[in-house]
C-alpha cells in the first residue's frame, strides 16, 4: 500500500487541487479549481500564464513544499507544461 508508506504526500488529485488553489491565490486568477484542467498547458492557450506568472508559481511552490526550483533548469519547460506535470514533479521530489 503506497499511500500508507507516504502519509505526508496527498493523492495526485488532492495535490492537483491544492496546487491549482495556490496558483489561483498567488496570481489572483479569476477561475475556479474545477476550471483548471490537469493536462491543459499552463502557457498560452491553456491557462494563459506568462513567464512572470510561472516565476511566481515557482516561488509559492518552493516555499509551500520545500522544493528548490531553479530558473536555469532544463526541466522547467516540462515541469511547468501543465498542472499535472508540476504536481508529478512535486510528488516525486517530496518523496525523496
Amino acid at each position: 500500500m503506497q499511500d500508507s508508506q507516504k502519509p505526508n504526500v496527498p493523492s495526485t488529485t488532492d495535490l492537483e487541487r491544492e496546487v491549482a488553489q495556490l496558483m489561483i491565490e498567488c496570481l489572483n486568477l479569476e477561475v475556479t479549481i474545477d476550471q483548471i484542467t490537469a493536462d491543459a498547458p499552463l502557457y498560452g492557450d491553456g491557462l494563459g500564464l506568462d513567464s512572470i506568472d510561472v516565476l511566481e508559481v515557482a516561488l509559492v511552490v518552493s516555499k509551500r513544499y520545500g522544493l528548490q526550483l531553479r530558473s536555469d533548469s532544463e526541466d522547467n519547460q516540462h515541469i511547468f507544461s501543465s498542472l499535472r506535470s508540476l504536481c508529478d514533479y512535486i510528488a516525486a521530489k517530496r518523496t525523496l
Side-chain angles (χ1 to χ4, degrees), residues 1-93:
M1 291 190 181
Q2 286 184 319
D3 290 338
S4 63
Q5 294 173 351
K6 304 174 197 169
N8 295 332
V9 179
S11 73
T12 302
T13 303
D14 290 343
L15 182 59
E16 287 172 1
R17 293 183 66 79
E18 187 175 293
V19 173
Q21 186 61 43
L22 283 174
M23 291 188 335
I24 290 168
E25 290 172 4
C26 83
L27 300 174
N28 295 316
L29 299 176
E30 294 183 6
V31 297
T32 65
I33 292 172
D34 296 326
Q35 291 174 305
I36 299 176
T37 306
D39 292 317
L42 295 181
Y43 286 104
D45 292 336
L47 196 53
L49 303 185
D50 62 23
S51 59
I52 301 298
D53 294 330
V54 171
L55 283 173
E56 289 186 50
V57 169
L59 284 172
V60 170
V61 166
S62 293
K63 288 179 185 177
R64 175 70 181 253
Y65 300 105
L67 304 176
Q68 184 175 8
L69 293 163
R70 298 180 47 115
S71 62
D72 61 349
S73 173
E74 294 176 7
D75 296 328
N76 284 345
Q77 187 172 2
H78 173 72
I79 293 168
F80 291 98
S81 64
S82 69
L83 175 61
R84 179 159 291 139
S85 294
L86 178 56
C87 291
D88 288 348
Y89 177 82
I90 292 168
K93 293 299 180 183

